[in-house]
Amino acid sequence: QVQLVDSGGGAVQAGESLTLSCAMSGNTGSINLMAWFRQAPGKEREGVGVINRVGVRASADSVKGRFTISQDNATNTVYLRMNTLKPEDTAMYYCAAAHSLYVTNLWDRPSAYTYWGQGTQVTVSS
């Protein structure tokens, strides 16, 4: 089993930055793919970014150039650095993990992930 704990959310003004963290514990050696998703009220969960164990990344068009996903394999932690935040970035953010190594064009499907964090709220005001 793998446990994920999200943290780092908060309330900020538009244009400010936040860094989310996802700490992984348990059978971490079996995990090769880590992603961040977000879900706003009344909307579907959407993929924000993904990274695999060897550093291959992908991200949603809506956050390209503003959000960066990174990882620290020594501490089994994945980060989401969010710059130039916009009100439309307001959502609950979740990290997710999967056993697969490959970043495919299906990386943004929630069904591709086995493990989920509890979520951390990000609120951006204008």
Side-chain angles (χ1 to χ4, degrees), residues 8 18 21 28 34 44 48-49 53 75-76 83 93 95 105 111:
L18 277 175
S21 300
T28 59
M34 297 288 294
E44 293 187 354
V48 174
R53 188 171 286 277
T75 61
N76 294 310
N83 294 328
Y93 284 70
C95 68
N105 59 355
S111 59

Side-chain angles (χ1 to χ4, degrees), residues 8-78:
V12 297
Q13 298 284 325
E16 294 183 341
S17 300
L18 277 175
T19 299
L20 306 184
S21 300
C22 176
M24 186 169 50
S25 60
N27 188 17
T28 59
S30 68
I31 296 301
N32 294 297
L33 203 63
M34 297 288 294
W36 285 96
F37 284 76
R38 66 186 181 186
Q39 189 166 20
K43 294 189 177 181
E44 293 187 354
R45 192 167 295 193
E46 64 170 343
V48 174
V50 65
I51 187 168
N52 74 0
R53 188 171 286 277
V54 296
V56 176
R57 295 176 175 85
S59 61
D61 288 343
S62 59
V63 305
K64 275 188 169 70
R66 300 189 299 123
F67 291 11
T68 303
I69 189 169
S70 62
Q71 63 187 352
D72 182 341
N73 287 333
T75 61
N76 294 310
T77 304
V78 174

